[in-house]
Amino acid sequence: MNSKTLHKVSYGMYLVSSKKGEKYNGQIANTVFQITSEPPTVAVSINKQNLTHEFIRESKVFTVAILNKDVPMTFIGLFGFKSGREVEKFEGIKYRPGQTGVPIVLDYSIGFLEAQVIDEIDAGTHTIFLGRVIDADIFVDEEPMTYAYYHEIKRGAAPQTAPTYIKNEPPAEVGSGEKYKCNVCGYIYDQEQGDPETGIAPGTPFSRLPADWVCPICGAGKEQFSIA
């Protein structure tokens, strides 16, 4: 079976948030889809190992922020490659509480959905939460980021807990220059493109990156990169 065929299925890029008591947590997700229109229901697929899974299962509520194309990789790294068990993800993030008290993230969001869980499906490593939409709005009329754009333009990788993760996934083609791969999250540093989001100009060799430069996705140091 050619697992790469699954990469041709279309996805978006979303930030799914929930709460547990007074605590908030959120994670990047690409598997969010509408189930019905009357009443409006959506489904999200969340890995059972993730803290967000624990929060949704307990509170039975979640929000979905629809991310735009300008979202920086550091934002995706915070919510996609770091655990809420170790860091406070919402510190410094703009949000407002929804009807259920779950944060509606405003940073890099073009709109949101807020839902109450009405059912869940055990999918092995993941749980599919079915939610009845109780509120939704569009903040700005912009193009949402797609999963393909994240991979091909942003040069992002899928964490191992993502529904679309494929073991030993080869790095995306990002040019013909010198390339180094982050051994933690799979991010590719390409010399031709540099890292404009952190001020690294195109054409900068990996060896000439500042000593304190870190992976823009997961924050790993240079010593955790190897030739791709």
Side-chain angles (χ1 to χ4, degrees):
M1 182 178 73
N2 185 356
S3 298
K4 292 182 180 179
T5 308
L6 294 170
H7 288 169
K8 300 301 182 182
V9 179
S10 297
Y11 301 92
M13 287 289 284
Y14 311 96
L15 173 54
V16 177
S17 303
S18 191
K19 68 173 184 176
K20 181 178 181 181
E22 299 299 316
K23 295 183 178 180
Y24 299 149
N25 196 64
Q27 68 166 74
I28 298 296
N30 65 351
T31 312
V32 176
F33 50 98
Q34 184 175 353
I35 301 296
T36 64
S37 58
E38 287 296 336
T41 58
V42 295
V44 298
S45 179
I46 305 294
N47 192 286
K48 294 177 181 177
Q49 298 178 24
N50 293 355
L51 188 61
T52 304
H53 182 280
E54 177 184 325
F55 280 28
I56 295 176
R57 173 159 281 179
E58 176 159 320
S59 66
K60 304 298 183 184
V61 289
F62 62 87
T63 60
V64 177
I66 305 168
L67 301 178
N68 65 28
K69 291 182 176 180
D70 296 327
V71 58
M73 295 304 285
T74 50
F75 185 89
I76 292 177
L78 172 64
F79 285 98
F81 289 88
K82 296 184 184 298
S83 172
R85 298 181 178 93
E86 301 170 355
V87 299
E88 176 50 62
K89 294 187 178 184
F90 283 87
E91 184 175 349
I93 300 297
K94 294 179 181 178
Y95 66 89
R96 64 176 173 83
Q99 294 182 18
T100 62
V102 177
I104 296 170
V105 174
L106 307 176
D107 287 333
Y108 313 108
S109 174
I110 66 173
F112 79 95
L113 306 170
E114 183 173 11
Q116 292 180 325
V117 175
I118 57 176
D119 202 355
E120 61 180 68
I121 301 170
D122 189 328
T125 57
H126 291 66
T127 297
I128 300 173
F129 294 102
L130 302 180
R132 178 175 60 85
V133 177
I134 61 172
D135 196 13
D137 202 1
I138 297 173
F139 299 137
V140 60
D141 187 15
E142 294 180 355
E143 283 291 317
M145 183 190 292
T146 65
Y147 203 50
Y149 186 92
Y150 167 68
H151 274 289
E152 297 167 12
I153 306 301
K154 290 284 192 177
R155 294 176 286 155
Q160 293 186 18
T161 56
T164 53
Y165 175 77
I166 296 177
K167 188 176 181 180
N168 297 323
E169 182 181 54
E173 293 296 325
V174 293
S176 58
E178 181 186 60
K179 306 179 189 72
Y180 282 77
K181 178 182 179 180
C182 176
N183 297 320
V184 177
C185 71
Y187 169 81
I188 299 295
Y189 175 80
D190 177 50
Q191 174 180 313
E192 285 190 348
Q193 299 186 25
D195 182 17
E197 290 186 358
T198 59
I200 304 300
T204 303
F206 186 82
S207 60
R208 299 188 65 179
L209 292 175
D212 60 353
W213 181 86
V214 296
C215 174
I217 296 182
C218 69
K222 291 176 62 179
E223 70 280 359
Q224 298 190 66
F225 278 71
S226 58
I227 297 176

